[in-house]
Amino acid sequence: MQKPNAATKQQIKRLRELVQEATRVAVLTGAGISAESGIPTFRDAQTGHWSKFRPEELATPEAFRRNPDMVWRWYAERRSAVRAAKPNAGHFALSQLETSVPNFTLITQNVDGLHRRAGSQRLIEIHGNILRVRCFGGCVSYADWVEAEARGFTGRQGAASHQGSTGHQGATGSAVPELGSVPRCPECGDYLRPDVVWFGENLPEAGIEQAFTATEQADLFLSIGTSALVYPAAMLPQTAVQSGATVVEINPEETPLSAMVHISIRGTAAVVLPQLVD
Ligand code: OAD
């Protein structure tokens, strides 16, 4: 079995050189980069979400229609975990890298918002953000649901007062929604849902277009902490290889990508990435 941090000095040295030489860098991150912040990945055996739950029961529009309470509750628990977590050294290293590379794009599949909290700005969240909540029918969206709740908006049907189309709260008084009841849209009465991309849904068009453009133009592409199994995100490193970028993977485990990239570093994000920027 591979050691979790088996990155060689030679590999780190080479990667540092590549970073220093590159003018256009694109980075794809997955759940692995937040693992060292205590947020479970999806597919790791034992700890991954999908080792305990079936995605089709929690992460599809059909699942939400079938059992909105259960889906809402699962996301509410994940939202609390994300709020309690802190960005780790890997997140901070990437935000530092952004300031030293002329053209830098960070593409993340993560919905936890930890890159933004670490200071990353040139960031594309292709699978959405768990803190944002929007109407299932599409009329309103709340940039930070926890904050909206804290200000008193629970969205209970008949209780919320309408104050506009985005980011407002009704005066219901209660900051904590009763367990198992899904808040309602103040505009149309439909359910509110997490603003994340579920299986079977399209990715935000502008975001994925930008992600592919940055990938095609990159001279260095880093794939960090992703199993590279979910499309279209998994197409990005493949596109980078085809477009002539040097592609580097950072992951404690082998993935389908490992055989196709130029350098595959067996290490964790919070250990390897700080060595590129110190
Ligand atoms: P996965 O759970 O599929 O893969 C996580 C990867 O991170 C694995 O390859 C691990 O080996 C690696 N890993 C674990 N700990 C790490 C660490 N400390 N540092 C670096 N790497 C580490 O997660 P994703 O690839 O992000 O989609 O999954 C892709 C998508 O599938 C998610 O965005 C989500 C999920 O279903 C949706 O919800 C639409």
Side-chain angles (χ1 to χ4, degrees), residues 30-32 36 42-43 50 109 127 197 199 225-227 230 251-252 269:
E36 284 152 292
F42 292 93
R43 293 176 184 78
W50 302 152
Q109 297 165 87
H127 288 170
V197 176
F199 288 101
T226 175
S227 59
V230 173
N251 196 313

Side-chain angles (χ1 to χ4, degrees), residues 15 18 26 28 215 218-224 236-250 257-258 260-265:
L15 185 49
L18 285 167
L28 172 69
T215 299
D219 35 49
L220 175 64
F221 185 98
L222 310 181
S223 176
I224 305 167
L236 292 166
Q238 297 172 25
T239 302
V241 171
Q242 284 155 12
S243 312
T246 303
V247 181
V248 179
E249 176 181 60
I250 299 168
L257 214 59
S258 308
M260 113 184 32
V261 300
H262 299 94
I263 308 176
S264 185
I265 298 182

Side-chain angles (χ1 to χ4, degrees), residues 46-201:
Q46 316 292 332
T47 54
H49 289 302
W50 302 152
S51 70
K52 301 183 184 128
F53 307 105
R54 286 152 54 91
E56 58 273 28
E57 282 170 12
L58 290 167
T60 63
E62 294 75 26
F64 188 65
R65 266 188 224 108
R66 224 176 13 243
N67 197 340
D69 279 359
M70 185 177 77
V71 172
W72 179 265
R73 226 178 306 141
W74 188 64
Y75 278 94
E77 278 165 23
R78 283 181 59 200
R79 200 178 295 124
S80 304
V82 157
R83 288 284 287 208
K86 292 191 171 66
N88 65 50
H91 297 106
F92 285 115
L94 288 180
S95 77
Q96 202 178 325
L97 200 58
E98 174 179 323
T99 61
S100 63
V101 173
N103 205 306
F104 182 93
T105 307
L106 174 55
I107 306 150
T108 189
Q109 297 165 87
N110 298 347
V111 297
D112 57 32
L114 289 183
H115 283 304
R116 179 99 45 208
R117 279 167 62 193
S120 287
Q121 287 175 19
R122 299 192 51 87
L123 173 68
I124 309 173
E125 294 176 316
I126 55 174
H127 288 170
N129 187 307
I130 199 168
L131 293 177
R132 276 198 316 263
V133 159
R134 65 179 161 89
C135 170
F136 196 53
C139 20
V140 297
S141 100
Y142 296 86
D144 185 334
W145 177 249
V146 178
E147 196 197 284
E149 271 186 334
R151 290 187 318 192
F153 178 66
T154 64
R156 296 288 151 258
Q157 204 170 24
S161 68
H162 166 52
Q163 297 185 5
S165 59
T166 52
H168 298 289
Q169 78 272 24
T172 60
S174 162
V176 185
E178 314 90 75
L179 198 68
S181 58
V182 186
R184 297 282 189 159
C185 171
E187 299 275 348
C188 69
D190 202 346
Y191 287 126
L192 294 180
R193 57 161 283 180
D195 193 1
V196 299
V197 176
W198 280 329
F199 288 101
E201 293 186 318

